[in-house]
Amino acid sequence: DVCSSDLHELKGAIDRREFVLHYQPLVHIESGRVASLEALVRWNHPERGLIFPDAFIGVAEECGLIGDLGRAVLFEACTQTRDWLDRGIPAVPVAVNFSAKQFQTGNPVDEVRECLEATGLSPEYLDIELTESAVMRDPALATETLRRMRDLGLRVAIDDFGTGHSSLAYLKRFPITKLKIDRAFVSALMRDPKDAAICRAIISMAHNLQLKAVAEGVEETRQLEFLRHPGCDEVQGYLFARPQDAEKTERLLAGTSPLEASPVGDATGRN
Ligand code: C2E
Ligand code: MG
Ligand code: MG
């Protein structure tokens, strides 16, 4: 059947280490500094070239391989960050995405603890990103898992916020530290006043809940200027940097290659 051939192919790819991580910076608006990096997995396929995660994460979940893939990603992100720190590169925390199934059916807390022990990375260098659907399927269990993650010393962000099923009653209780506004709202905010209103409302709600607000998918200076006014904390998107391999990311961290744009000040000179 379909799954057994996919299973075979994906398993082989994990064993042959064909999955690679690219890193995209989250930029602090006020200081212009890189606050953290998001690790984004790609499949470096020998014949088909670079394959993006939307094409294989779902398949890995269905075939029961998301646990293996997720552990490989977590291990690589932690190993890379530890390596940068060891070599005196000014590293920043790395954010790793957990899929819904990986969060619900695996033992995410044990996996993270074991990975930190194995790589020797300090927990303040690891962030976890979870979607609303991952935490809202069983919010009581998620609250407990999130508390154990926080007790390990990690920070958890809710990814793609505003597009899943969120219960605000649970959101206020989750021990999380940031909300990432889904890029659908960000990309439409200059065209549609309703998307602009949603972005503003999410930023304000995040702050009232003592959470940081991050906007993903920022591609234009106008979007950045809009997000600055309600006090969005961090921005991520092609305007600043595309996800890039470890080598290029290292140059960014070391300060030898700058971001494409700085969020500090603005193009109109208003500052
Ligand atoms: P995500 O976590 O919301 O990641 C952000 C996605 O937006 C990434 O797509 C990134 O390349 C893209 N992006 C960033 N800036 C811009 C921009 O300015 N414009 C546009 N149009 N796109 C931008 P990518 O790398 O294709 O990843 C897609 C999704 O796959 C991720 O969404 C995440 O949910 C999932 N994913 C990626 N890596 C992993 C992983 O290691 N494990 C798991 N479970 N899921 C992953
Ligand atoms: Mg993410
Ligand atoms: Mg997202």
Side-chain angles (χ1 to χ4, degrees):
D1 63 322
V2 179
C3 222
S4 74
S5 74
D6 284 340
L7 180 82
H8 182 75
E9 219 196 335
L10 280 170
K11 237 188 155 84
I14 296 173
D15 294 341
R16 290 188 299 272
R17 311 190 55 159
E18 287 170 10
F19 291 97
V20 294
L21 292 185
H22 282 188
Y23 299 89
Q24 189 181 33
L26 279 70
V27 184
H28 184 236
I29 289 193
E30 261 179 43
S31 67
R33 293 233 176 94
V34 174
S36 55
L37 294 169
E38 179 172 9
L40 295 159
V41 69
R42 277 91 181 86
W43 182 355
N44 200 353
H45 195 283
E47 283 121 46
R48 290 191 278 155
L50 215 56
I51 305 177
F52 287 84
D54 288 337
F56 59 82
I57 293 288
V59 182
E61 283 193 315
E62 277 164 42
C63 298
L65 271 180
I66 193 67
D68 290 345
L69 180 60
R71 267 188 299 278
V73 165
L74 183 64
F75 186 80
E76 177 61 25
C78 292
T79 302
Q80 180 63 72
T81 304
R82 176 69 211 251
D83 178 62
W84 280 326
L85 287 165
D86 284 350
R87 290 192 291 118
I89 310 244
V92 293
V94 67
V96 174
N97 292 283
F98 270 59
S99 83
K101 209 164 215 163
Q102 192 185 352
F103 182 71
Q104 286 151 2
T105 59
N107 277 312
V109 182
D110 292 337
E111 276 171 29
V112 165
R113 187 191 306 108
E114 282 160 20
C115 184
L116 292 172
E117 278 168 14
T119 59
L121 186 71
S122 163
E124 68 260 25
Y125 281 97
L126 182 62
D127 295 350
I128 302 293
E129 294 193 4
L130 295 164
T131 61
E132 290 165 288
S133 51
V135 287
M136 291 301 171
R137 168 85 52 91
D138 184 346
L141 179 66
T143 308
E144 182 52 28
T145 308
L146 292 172
R147 184 169 303 128
R148 291 172 60 213
M149 286 195 162
R150 186 200 53 197
D151 292 345
L152 274 183
L154 329 169
R155 283 151 316 195
V156 178
I158 302 295
D159 205 353
D160 304 344
F161 186 78
T163 52
H165 309 265
S166 247
S167 152
L168 298 179
Y170 274 105
L171 189 71
K172 76 169 189 190
R173 277 186 239 151
F174 285 148
I176 54 172
T177 56
K178 59 169 84 154
L179 296 182
K180 296 187 77 175
I181 306 168
D182 193 87
R183 72 170 190 269
F185 301 121
V186 176
S187 71
L189 74 82
M190 300 312 297
R191 288 195 298 279
D192 188 340
K194 289 182 180 165
D195 290 285
I198 289 170
C199 287
R200 233 186 267 113
I202 296 176
I203 294 166
S204 157
M205 183 182 71
H207 289 165
N208 286 317
L209 294 171
Q210 326 301 333
L211 304 173
K212 283 187 183 148
V214 182
E216 346 180 80
V218 178
E219 296 182 348
E220 300 167 19
T221 309
R222 292 184 311 162
Q223 294 165 338
L224 167 68
E225 292 317 320
F226 175 91
L227 292 160
R228 185 195 302 283
H229 294 296
C232 183
D233 300 274
E234 293 169 10
V235 278
Q236 177 180 7
Y238 297 167
L239 179 63
F240 309 100
R242 288 181 179 258
Q244 45 194 7
D245 64 24
E247 204 181 317
K248 291 195 184 116
T249 302
E250 181 170 323
R251 290 202 282 275
L252 179 71
L253 292 173
T256 51
S257 110
L259 292 168
E260 305 277 328
S262 164
V264 179
D266 70 53
T268 63
R270 270 181 286 131
N271 228 340

